[in-house]
Amino acid sequence: MTFAVIIEPLGGSHDRKAFSCGVPALDRYIREQASQDVKRRVGNCFVAVDRDGGAIAGYYTLAASSIPIASLPDEQTKHLPRYPVLPAILVGRLAVDARYQRRRVGSALIVDALRCSVSAAPAAFALIIDAKDDQAVAYYRRHGFTSFQSRPLSLFLPIATALKLFG
């Protein structure tokens, strides 16, 4: 069964009540907090909407962040300036509704987050994501992310590397 999604900023017309990914904290976030974070400018939320039914198939959030250069593996820092921190973009949350899981919605959301990051006016070295568990870590590693040495549930993907991987 094929379907198409459109990814767009979260708006008042999106029905968030039916969203259920199986992780209560992520379900609660999209239902109760996401629009407040957008209004307060602490993060942006983007939703993948099923073109046929209008349901939210998944979502992700972006916020400004930074990476201490000392937390990166040596092979990542060889050609970087020796600034104490590097600019980054945090994918704060990423979730796919249970009805749409295993249909590449999560991959589409990651690619869209990369697209937004590349086109953002402020430069960023990497995308950062905090995984909820080891299963999520494995998922992000399949998409090219690397764990920080000191925080195995936090991963990063250099923007330059992502551009090579995803075109």
Side-chain angles (χ1 to χ4, degrees):
M1 178 178 181
T2 61
F3 71 101
V5 296
I6 183 167
I7 301 175
E8 59 192 16
L10 177 66
S13 65
H14 296 116
D15 179 12
R16 298 171 286 156
K17 292 179 184 169
F19 186 87
S20 178
C21 69
V23 178
L26 294 172
D27 294 341
R28 190 172 35 259
Y29 178 81
I30 189 71
R31 291 179 192 150
E32 300 173 12
Q33 188 178 343
S35 60
Q36 294 172 19
D37 282 357
V38 171
K39 286 177 190 171
R40 292 180 183 136
R41 300 198 45 79
V42 295
N44 288 322
C45 183
F46 299 87
V47 292
V49 179
D50 186 332
R51 286 188 188 213
D52 293 332
I56 295 177
Y59 75 91
Y60 71 92
T61 63
L62 291 180
S65 189
S66 63
I67 301 172
I69 198 164
S71 69
L72 295 173
D74 290 338
E75 65 269 10
Q76 289 289 328
T77 61
K78 285 180 185 175
H79 302 291
L80 293 174
R82 296 292 169 211
Y83 302 139
V85 295
L86 297 170
I89 297 176
L90 173 66
V91 178
R93 291 170 179 81
L94 188 146
V96 176
D97 187 285
R99 297 169 291 175
Y100 296 91
Q101 291 176 3
R102 304 210 187 294
R103 295 171 77 180
R104 310 235 5 114
V105 173
S107 296
L109 292 169
I110 290 171
V111 169
D112 195 71
L114 171 63
R115 182 193 56 77
C116 286
S117 300
V118 168
S119 64
F125 165 71
L127 285 176
I128 301 172
I129 195 152
D130 292 324
K132 296 291 181 196
D133 55 31
D134 290 337
Q135 183 179 355
V137 168
Y139 176 81
Y140 294 120
R141 283 190 178 153
R142 286 193 303 271
H143 285 82
F145 284 78
T146 302
S147 291
F148 286 102
Q149 295 175 358
S150 62
R151 302 175 317 193
L153 292 179
S154 293
L155 301 97
F156 70 97
L157 177 64
I159 299 286
T161 301
L163 288 172
K164 291 175 188 172
L165 291 174
F166 299 109

